């Protein structure tokens, strides 16, 4: 069940995040833009699903029985929710796809050595957002 609560006074979102930044997988997307594309800053809290594609694909830390792309397509198909608000999102995930993942998918080689060992993909689905 979605619960959306609109505040009448808005505290500084960076101050809010400073109080909760140590929560598990808390994330802060800070927007300094003041236009239609960048008017929202978003905090994600209370993760319930974490997908990580590194050397192996894991779901909440456990090795998965299917490949990342198959799992994600199936999960998104089975868990669609309509956003009937003017907010940029009311449910979903925050994460990243690395350039190395794109190169691997497109079979593009690189002449540069690996400098930082990070997963190709991390996507975290959250129960709560502060927008």
């Amino acid at each position: 069940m979605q619960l959306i609560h609109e505040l009448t006074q808005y505290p500084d979102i960076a101050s809010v995040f400073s109080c909760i930044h140590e929560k598990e997988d808390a994330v802060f997307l800070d927007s300094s833009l003041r236009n239609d594309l960048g008017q929202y800053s978003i905090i994600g809290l209370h993760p319930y699903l974490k997908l990580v594609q590194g050397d192996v694909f894991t779901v909440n830390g456990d090795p998965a029985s299917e490949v990342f792309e198959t799992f994600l397509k199936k999960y998104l198909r089975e868990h669609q929710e309509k956003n009937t608000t003017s907010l940029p999102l009311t449910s979903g995930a925050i994460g990243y796809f690395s350039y190395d993942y794109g190169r691997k998918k497109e079979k593009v080689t690189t002449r540069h050595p690996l400098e930082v060992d990070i997963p190709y993909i991390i996507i975290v689905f959250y129960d709560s957002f502060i927008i």
Side-chain angles (χ1 to χ4, degrees):
M1 176 180 96
Q2 281 190 345
L3 174 63
I4 299 172
H5 180 74
E6 184 175 352
L7 302 175
T8 55
Q9 295 181 348
Y10 296 92
D12 175 63
I13 194 155
S15 297
V16 172
F17 190 69
S18 71
C19 296
I20 57 177
H21 73 278
E22 292 182 359
K23 301 267 186 201
E24 178 187 357
D25 288 322
V27 66
F28 180 25
L29 302 177
D30 185 19
S31 176
S32 61
L33 295 177
R34 298 293 178 224
N35 61 36
D36 290 343
L37 297 176
Q39 64 182 336
Y40 298 103
S41 293
I42 300 169
I43 295 174
L45 293 169
H46 310 123
Y48 66 89
L49 180 63
K50 184 174 184 177
L51 310 178
V52 177
Q53 176 66 63
D55 293 332
V56 297
F57 169 49
T58 62
V59 177
N60 290 337
D62 297 323
S65 60
E66 53 195 335
V67 297
F68 168 78
E69 293 84 354
T70 303
F71 181 93
L72 185 61
K73 284 179 188 176
K74 182 173 143 186
Y75 184 83
L76 292 176
R77 187 175 52 250
E78 293 172 358
H79 296 88
Q80 292 183 29
E81 290 186 32
K82 292 245 185 239
N83 181 355
T84 60
T85 74
S86 61
L87 297 171
L89 69 138
T90 56
S91 65
I94 296 174
Y96 75 87
F97 292 80
S98 71
Y99 285 109
D100 291 327
Y101 173 75
R103 279 196 289 273
K104 180 180 171 188
K105 290 298 291 178
E106 296 298 321
K107 298 177 176 48
V108 175
T109 59
T110 181
R111 64 176 195 252
H112 302 287
L114 182 65
E115 293 182 16
V116 180
D117 187 21
I118 61 171
Y120 291 125
I121 302 164
I122 297 178
I123 298 178
V124 182
F125 288 81
Y126 292 92
D127 276 331
S128 304
F129 292 101
I130 300 172
I131 302 171

